[in-house]
Amino acid sequence: MRINCVSPTVLTESTAYHPYFPGFTPVPAAEVAQAYLRAMANPVTGRVLKLHKTDS
């Protein structure tokens, strides 16, 4: 059994939720999907795959 977690902030495509995540740069859904694929395709376990962008 493998347990991983994909942790995005807010999706770029979910504009209605942007006000609830002040200070966070939205992440495209395609990048979140790639992280899920990476979590499933690799034999890693116990990892949190964080997806967040910074303005810097």
Side-chain angles (χ1 to χ4, degrees):
M1 179 186 305
R2 292 184 302 158
I3 300 174
N4 292 307
C5 173
V6 176
S7 178
T9 54
V10 64
L11 298 177
T12 302
E13 297 82 359
S14 300
T15 55
Y17 290 97
H18 291 188
Y20 299 106
F21 292 85
F24 289 93
T25 304
V27 177
E31 289 185 25
V32 177
Q34 288 296 318
Y36 276 107
L37 179 61
R38 187 176 33 181
M40 297 298 294
N42 291 303
V44 297
T45 187
R47 301 259 175 98
V48 176
L49 305 176
K50 295 181 182 180
L51 296 170
H52 55 77
K53 302 276 186 178
T54 59
D55 292 328
S56 56

